Amino acid sequence: MNKYDVVIIGAGGAGMMAALTLSRAGKSCIVLEKGQHPSTSNAARAGGPSLAGTRLEEEAGAPVSALQLYSRLFRFARGTVDSGLLLACVKSGRKAETILRECGVQMHLTEDLYGTGFRARHFLDTPAPERWDLLCAKLEAYGGKLQLNACAEKLVTEGGKVCGVEVQDQADHSRLIYRAEHVIVASGGYLGNKEMLKEHFADVTVGVLGNRQSDGGGIRMVLEAGGMKERNWGICAGEFGGFHSRMKSRFPGNMRWAMTGGLLVNREGRRFMDEQVLADEPLSVGGELTLRAGTFFAVLDEDFYQGIRQAKSVYEYYGRPSQWTTGASAHDRGPWPFPENLEKDMEEGWAGRFESLKEAAQAFALPGLEETVERYNRMCGEGLDTEFYKSNWLLKPVEKAPFYVFAYEPSAWCTIGGVRTDAFCRALDSKQCPIPGLYVAGVDNGSCYCTPYYDVEGTCLGLAFTSGIVAAEHILHG
Ligand SMILES: Cc1cc2nc3c(=O)[nH]c(=O)nc-3n(C[C@H](O)[C@H](O)[C@H](O)COP(=O)(O)OP(=O)(O)OC[C@H]3O[C@@H](n4cnc5c(N)ncnc54)[C@H](O)[C@@H]3O)c2cc1C
């Protein structure tokens, strides 16, 4: 009796929204989840989605229209996503909110941290795992099913139509086929797949902050069934700070130096960016620049190190420049929310304290460091960054020993990039024709996420939720 109207692969943001939409409308559906728990997914643990047109926004007296959010995202994507899909997703914000409310998930609107000019991010107050338990309970109440330990491995096709999924049970390794009229793939990207990360980002270590069960299996299955790849491949970068694979604890305080707007250098010891971009847009453009740099280093002197630690906030340290809007919103809080432990970080091999820059350059093999710092200090003295033109309030010389170096690598909450679809989330073949019966939603869908990742916080989850709804509604109404 493994026959359903719809089989959904992945009980994450997109999968659960699709399942709730379908089962509420009376369709028989099953969600196949590889993990042992309903709340395995990134969505179950995420902060919250950006949504437009919600009741919460109206109630807060801060409405965000679909047009406002769509225009911002589409302009940012510069034509690299499917506009119809993006618009359909953004217009489904209220539906996603309604489902969350019906399930009993509590939310509040967050502040506009990164200067978008509106407050679209809905923070999910109900913590994991309760929040996902609520969604699963509602799914069951609607007659939908969730199958845990069910790793989808292959799409079943007949006469060019996708009509089922072959699954391996993770507990007893038995194999089963679930048949369906429609299959929605929503397996959450490829953060757990080292080969895929290498294929798209070369020999760069990407710190995995999300679920490793998302190993690109969904994308692979769709490509094997005749789907085509989209061209956008990237990450939703970790914005809490720099990451390093040698870090033993997840969020040590010294990871924050990456985001302070101070001097950053690449593996040759040369500057490679306007450091303010990482301070202002860590999830998006700044994160992309770190992905391109691979390993990078924050270099600071004793004045900077002590100054920032003693100031109430990074923004305070720089003298609260009124033009620095993101400084006021994102950097005017206690600088180190995580305990700092320099000695331990030095032992782990990603942090160092040195009496001279020469010593620092030798220890981290940064041949250009001394010359870079000399040039940087000259620009600080002149009050003008003639290399990358960062704001002059960020120009602080690196001259007083001891000197500190922190090595970082890019990190990601989830990946971006996957299958090309049309505006209804239907997977397209290489002739741009929909593959009958096959839909792709969430971050497996390459056509609604651009790279660099959008500069609106919460878009990852927002589009995951809403693309699940778009796919489900196409199945329901055509
Ligand atoms: C800690 C954390 C915080 C985050 N905070 C935010 C935030 O505040 N705002 C925001 O926009 N984004 C945030 N993100 C990112 C966001 O969670 C993701 O973009 C979003 O969850 C993507 O939804 P999805 O449905 O595509 O995938 P997911 O929610 O990751 O779900 C995919 C599911 O598919 C399952 N799966 C994988 N392969 C298979 C298979 N072969 N068979 C069966 N099941 C499979 C996985 O186990 C997983 O449960 C955060 C991520 C993390 C990790």
Side-chain angles (χ1 to χ4, degrees):
M1 249 298 283
N2 287 325
K3 186 151 180 15
Y4 297 85
D5 292 327
V6 187
V7 171
I8 297 164
I9 300 174
M16 287 305 288
M17 281 289 156
L20 286 159
T21 305
L22 289 160
S23 56
R24 184 173 55 178
K27 290 278 177 197
S28 67
C29 74
I30 184 165
V31 183
L32 306 173
E33 170 54 51
K34 190 179 190 177
Q36 295 175 12
H37 309 287
S39 58
T40 301
S41 71
N42 286 341
R45 297 191 294 136
S50 265
L51 303 169
T54 64
R55 246 174 69 196
L56 199 60
E57 286 158 352
E58 285 165 19
E59 285 162 6
V64 180
S65 72
L67 181 63
Q68 206 175 357
L69 183 56
Y70 167 77
S71 306
R72 170 97 190 192
L73 298 179
F74 189 68
R75 263 204 308 276
F76 187 86
R78 300 174 72 89
T80 61
V81 295
D82 186 298
S83 3
L85 174 58
L86 183 63
L87 185 58
C89 288
V90 170
K91 280 183 167 173
S92 303
R94 181 116 173 184
K95 290 176 185 164
E97 184 205 25
T98 303
I99 293 174
L100 292 169
R101 280 183 186 250
E102 279 172 6
C103 292
V105 175
Q106 302 293 317
M107 291 170 272
H108 74 267
L109 282 189
T110 61
E111 293 308 309
D112 174 18
L113 266 193
Y114 298 117
T116 55
F118 51 78
R119 293 167 62 201
R121 185 160 176 259
H122 296 55
F123 188 84
L124 303 172
D125 291 318
T126 310
E130 289 100 290
R131 124 183 13 149
W132 236 240
D133 292 344
L134 291 171
L135 265 61
C136 294
K138 187 59 92 181
L139 177 65
E140 203 181 321
Y142 287 149
K145 252 189 100 175
L146 169 65
Q147 187 66 48
L148 297 174
N149 286 315
C151 177
E153 296 205 324
K154 195 169 182 283
L155 297 173
V156 180
T157 54
E158 271 168 20
K161 181 182 185 312
V162 172
C163 56
V165 183
E166 195 175 318
V167 169
Q168 184 179 62
D169 187 298
Q170 298 286 84
D172 64 13
H173 303 290
S174 60
R175 300 187 81 82
L176 261 182
I177 289 184
Y178 292 86
R179 301 191 76 83
E181 284 300 308
H182 308 276
V183 173
I184 302 177
V185 176
S187 70
Y190 50 95
L191 198 52
N193 183 327
K194 280 192 179 150
E195 286 71 38
M196 274 184 87
L197 293 174
K198 191 167 173 177
E199 180 190 341
H200 296 290
F201 313 128
D203 265 330
V204 167
T205 304
V206 178
V208 175
L209 304 178
N211 175 18
R212 286 175 198 268
Q213 310 247 32
S214 291
D215 62 0
I219 298 170
R220 172 189 53 75
M221 282 182 263
V222 177
L223 300 181
E224 283 169 3
M228 76 178 285
K229 286 183 190 169
E230 193 39 278
R231 283 157 51 203
N232 308 331
W233 300 90
I235 55 170
C236 170
E239 81 280 33
F240 285 180
F243 163 95
H244 198 284
S245 41
R246 289 188 186 150
M247 284 175 183
K248 295 235 164 61
S249 44
R250 189 141 181 205
F251 294 124
N254 284 314
M255 75 191 291
R256 302 286 293 181
W257 298 108
M259 270 55 178
T260 53
L263 176 63
L264 297 178
V265 300
N266 64 12
R267 61 179 77 227
E268 290 186 324
R270 278 198 292 241
R271 282 181 83 202
F272 61 100
M273 70 186 297
D274 165 353
E275 292 88 350
Q276 189 177 349
V277 176
L278 191 56
D280 285 359
E281 298 173 72
L283 287 156
S284 172
V285 180
E288 173 72 21
L289 288 169
T290 67
L291 183 61
R292 284 162 188 271
T295 305
F296 64 104
F297 304 82
V299 181
L300 29 141
D301 73 351
E302 181 69 356
D303 281 345
F304 191 86
Y305 183 77
Q306 297 301 347
I308 290 223
R309 290 174 74 236
Q310 281 157 21
K312 279 209 302 273
S313 70
V314 171
Y315 188 51
E316 182 74 29
Y317 170 76
Y318 285 117
R320 311 185 73 79
S322 57
Q323 316 92 301
W324 193 18
T325 47
T326 313
S329 55
H331 299 290
D332 195 17
R333 36 181 83 184
W336 313 126
F338 314 109
E340 193 184 347
N341 190 340
L342 185 61
E343 300 303 323
K344 184 175 134 301
D345 298 344
M346 288 185 347
E347 269 168 36
E348 287 174 9
W350 58 275
R353 183 176 47 206
F354 306 96
E355 283 314 310
S356 71
L357 284 166
K358 187 172 179 189
E359 217 186 304
Q362 277 167 357
F364 282 98
L366 303 170
L369 182 65
E370 286 174 278
E371 198 190 317
T372 297
V373 172
E374 204 185 309
R375 194 167 50 247
Y376 187 72
N377 286 349
R378 227 178 10 252
M379 293 187 291
C380 292
E382 288 160 4
L384 183 65
D385 174 5
T386 49
E387 238 172 0
F388 291 103
Y389 299 92
K390 79 173 166 185
S391 300
N392 55 7
W393 61 78
L394 296 172
L395 291 168
K396 301 283 184 189
V398 180
E399 50 194 12
K400 186 175 172 200
F403 299 97
Y404 301 82
V405 176
F406 298 95
Y408 300 120
E409 293 159 341
S411 61
W413 299 113
C414 65
T415 55
I416 283 164
V419 175
R420 182 174 289 188
T421 74
D422 66 5
F424 309 105
C425 288
R426 292 185 295 184
L428 297 177
D429 67 15
S430 59
K431 294 198 169 75
Q432 313 264 28
C433 295
I435 300 172
L438 185 57
Y439 293 77
V440 183
V443 295
D444 284 345
N445 184 314
S447 299
C448 58
Y449 295 93
C450 63
T451 177
Y453 171 50
Y454 295 108
D455 63 351
V456 178
E457 206 195 358
T459 307
C460 245
L461 189 59
L463 294 180
F465 280 166
T466 52
S467 61
I469 294 172
V470 168
E473 293 207 322
H474 191 264
I475 290 171
L476 289 173
H477 312 298

